[in-house]
Structure formats: structure tokens, C-alpha cells
Amino acid sequence: MTKQAKLISKVLSGTSDASISFQDIYNLLIALGFEVRIRGSHHLFRHANYEEKINLQRDGSKAKPHQVKQVRNILLRNKLGGDPNEI
């Protein structure tokens, strides 16, 4: 299982939102085809095929838990975490 597959599994499980690294979730979104725009401390992610936008901010070296939940909801709604081998 690749690092990205493990991270997708961790995000989708919802049991450790507070312990997910900001850099890991940032890299995951880039690998899934999201484009990033940085405005101050806000990292804004958009994808051409999806209407939702994702806003991430650092909380130390971690991503904020409520924003990890937002990423999880978008992954589930758009079926982006279904087969980790497709990444």
C-alpha cells in the first residue's frame, strides 16, 4: 500500500483528523489533480471537474481537523478515494 493510499484510508476513516500532516494532505490534493492558489495562510484548492473548493490552513505542522473533514466529504461525494491504486 502506497503512502497516498494509506493517507486516503486515514482521511476516509475519520478517526484521526487532528493528526494528519498539512504537507501530506496538500500533496494528496495535488496528486488528485487539484490546483492550489495561496493567499496569505490560506491554501485554496480547486479542481476543474468539481464545483467544491477546499480551503486549508496550517495548525502547526498539522491540517486543521474541520478542514480534513471537508476534504473527506469531497473525496466521498466525488468518489475520489474509491481505488487508491488509481492515484
Side-chain angles (χ1 to χ4, degrees):
M1 187 179 259
T2 67
K3 184 177 180 179
Q4 287 181 339
K6 288 179 187 178
L7 180 60
I8 287 174
S9 189
K10 194 174 180 181
V11 169
L12 293 178
S13 75
T15 58
S16 55
D17 288 353
S19 67
I20 295 183
S21 160
F22 175 85
Q23 195 61 49
D24 285 346
I25 203 156
Y26 179 99
N27 292 337
L28 175 65
L29 291 171
I30 296 297
L32 290 172
F34 283 83
E35 294 179 9
V36 65
R37 187 180 86 202
I38 301 171
R39 307 269 309 198
S41 65
H42 295 263
H43 293 71
L44 307 167
F45 293 86
R46 292 193 312 185
H47 194 286
N49 298 332
Y50 310 113
E51 199 172 305
E52 301 96 345
K53 296 176 186 167
I54 301 172
N55 175 24
L56 292 182
Q57 291 175 281
R58 289 183 184 270
D59 189 10
S61 65
K62 306 293 181 193
K64 292 186 176 185
H66 71 278
Q67 293 172 338
V68 174
K69 182 178 178 182
Q70 178 188 13
V71 170
R72 176 174 46 257
N73 291 335
I74 290 173
L75 291 178
L76 290 171
R77 197 171 18 243
N78 296 301
K79 299 177 181 158
L80 293 172
D83 185 4
N85 297 323
E86 291 179 2
I87 298 175

